[in-house]
Amino acid sequence: HGVESRDIEEELQELVQRLPKERFGFGRDENSAVYFYQGFWCPFPLFKATISFQKHFETLDNDIFLTTPLKCGTTWMKALIFTIVNRHKFQPENNPLLTSLTPHQAMPYVEVQFYLKNQEPNLSHIPQPRLLHTHLPYSSLPPSIRECPTAKIVYICRNPMDMFISTWHFIENIRPANEEPFPLDEAFEKFCRGVHAYGPYSDHILGFWKAKQENSNKILFLKYEDVKADTFSHVKTLANFLGFPFSEEEEKKGVVEEIIKLCSFENLKELEVNKSGYQAFGLPNSAFFRKGEVGDSTNYLTPAMVERLEKSVLGKFDKSGLTF
Ligand code: A3P
């Protein structure tokens, strides 16, 4: 253990000396630094935990992973996956999401929850199937997640304009009063260059998109806009994919609709458990619920900005068959 932990510390020191570094967010210290590691911008506060996770995580056959860029519907998917998988354990009115559990506790962000404190955490206490979340790009996932033929990955992404605006609002929302604002123009310029936590955004999306073409049983690839437009059919697809399909009887009883309502933006946002309290790094739970709509970016981006985003981000999807 001792040797191993010194190794990771030394590796980190060496990487920090050598890798390109930028700032994304408020603040001037290392907390707002991102390092270009393995082709993505890794937030410094999670750098060491990321390396530990990559080195030590062991996948179980029935693991369920949610992998997402930032601000694309992670909170929503966490609530839906937890509720679908545990629906026989909790009657709808007893679902702990209503009272004591935030979606982020229901499906923990692995690096933050386990690897920040401990390089080789004991994960054997987590009930199976384990519901776990990470923001890492596909190619940087711990190898055993990619290699395990039965472990599942749910991916959700979103229109780049809305993702960017949601990200910028989130950063502004969590900014302590004594920190300078993160100007929209500066955030935008960096976003277009791919410089933001777990960016470039287009690479994140294309990594999972390509992996999905190669192995469609392993990855469910979703877009926020599609799930919004037809939540019912996507929740059924999600349940099938996870191996927890709805029975005919459940469908007749309206279980699908019930789950959709429970996990809706309007419902979750107003629950005391989500209105109060904090997550790791002092992030207020309430910051994860803002507007929950498609197209809000049109209220913030000028036509020139949209054009630049179309070229720098949307253009990358040209040959992929992906559209937003
Ligand atoms: P907006 O900022 O556009 O409102 P993440 O959960 O990945 O951090 O993404 C946050 C985005 O999802 C925010 O978008 C947030 O409002 C929205 N969101 C949160 N909970 C939701 C839910 N239950 N249904 C739909 N959207 C939700």
Side-chain angles (χ1 to χ4, degrees):
H1 257 210
V3 174
E4 187 74 50
S5 76
R6 214 172 43 240
D7 284 352
I8 291 190
E9 193 56 53
E10 275 170 20
E11 189 175 336
L12 183 73
Q13 293 311 322
E14 186 269 322
L15 287 169
V16 162
Q17 299 292 323
R18 171 167 69 79
L19 296 177
K21 174 186 178 182
E22 296 234 20
R23 197 178 72 83
F24 191 80
F26 54 77
R28 304 270 148 193
D29 62 7
E30 284 292 280
N31 286 324
S32 67
V34 286
Y35 285 89
F36 197 57
Y37 168 69
Q38 299 182 342
F40 75 97
W41 291 95
C42 184
F44 180 74
L46 290 175
F47 206 165
K48 195 169 155 187
T50 298
I51 298 172
S52 303
F53 174 44
Q54 291 180 320
K55 275 206 163 87
H56 299 303
F57 182 78
E58 283 170 31
T59 305
L60 300 181
D61 286 347
N62 57 348
D63 278 348
I64 294 175
F65 262 91
L66 173 67
T67 58
T68 60
L70 263 64
K71 312 320 293 172
C72 288
T74 310
T75 313
W76 191 15
M77 283 304 126
K78 285 181 172 185
L80 282 171
I81 293 169
F82 175 84
T83 304
I84 289 169
V85 168
N86 289 296
R87 70 182 185 274
H88 302 299
K89 203 149 123 199
F90 308 116
Q91 288 306 300
E93 60 278 15
N94 295 329
N95 188 320
L97 286 175
L98 291 171
T99 48
S100 56
L101 199 71
T102 67
H104 293 275
Q105 290 166 328
M107 197 159 186
Y109 182 176
V110 190
E111 296 94 302
V112 170
Q113 201 61 43
F114 306 115
Y115 288 89
L116 262 186
K117 284 194 221 99
N118 194 332
Q119 299 192 6
E120 289 183 69
N122 179 356
L123 305 181
S124 63
H125 63 282
I126 305 174
Q128 292 184 29
R130 302 188 299 184
L131 309 181
L132 303 169
H133 168 246
T134 181
H135 286 303
L136 285 182
Y138 184 76
S139 55
S140 288
L141 290 175
S144 69
I145 301 179
R146 282 177 283 145
E147 286 156 14
C148 178
T150 50
K152 297 194 183 297
I153 297 178
V154 177
Y155 185 76
I156 186 162
C157 58
R158 184 181 195 184
N159 172 304
M161 334 279 183
D162 285 354
M163 183 277 193
F164 167 69
I165 285 301
S166 182
T167 302
W168 179 73
H169 275 288
F170 183 74
I171 292 171
E172 274 301 282
N173 250 330
I174 62 172
R175 177 170 59 87
N178 60 345
E179 294 283 2
E180 294 289 312
F182 185 38
L184 184 71
D185 286 356
E186 186 186 336
F188 183 77
E189 186 274 326
K190 288 186 167 154
F191 185 75
C192 289
R193 288 193 290 118
V195 179
H196 55 98
Y198 302 101
Y201 187 49
S202 50
D203 288 354
H204 201 287
I205 295 175
L206 286 170
F208 282 93
W209 179 249
K210 284 178 190 147
K212 195 231 150 44
Q213 315 302 316
E214 281 156 28
N215 191 349
S216 61
N217 292 331
K218 189 176 179 66
I219 301 179
L220 179 67
F221 187 101
L222 301 170
K223 290 192 278 185
Y224 184 88
E225 294 76 19
D226 294 346
V227 185
K228 267 275 187 192
D230 184 358
T231 314
F232 187 83
S233 75
H234 284 91
V235 166
K236 286 209 305 185
T237 304
L238 180 61
N240 286 339
F241 173 78
L242 296 174
F244 293 84
F246 295 104
S247 67
E248 245 175 70
E249 196 192 332
E250 283 185 300
E251 284 208 32
K252 270 200 210 115
K253 271 174 40 196
V255 173
V256 185
E257 286 89 347
E258 213 162 34
I259 290 176
I260 291 171
K261 202 166 148 210
L262 194 153
C263 299
S264 70
F265 176 81
E266 293 72 22
N267 186 50
L268 292 181
K269 185 185 165 80
E270 295 306 325
L271 297 173
E272 201 48 45
V273 62
N274 293 324
K275 284 206 277 195
S276 58
Y278 296 85
Q279 315 200 358
F281 302 113
L283 299 183
N285 291 325
S286 60
F288 289 86
F289 305 90
R290 191 183 65 93
K291 216 162 180 181
E293 283 171 12
V294 172
D296 186 43
S297 55
T298 54
N299 297 316
Y300 296 90
L301 300 177
T302 64
M305 288 165 107
V306 171
E307 197 179 317
R308 178 151 176 221
L309 257 181
E310 277 171 356
K311 275 198 198 116
S312 57
V313 183
L314 282 173
K316 302 267 165 57
F317 302 121
D318 278 352
K319 290 189 205 97
S320 68
L322 253 178
T323 52
F324 286 97

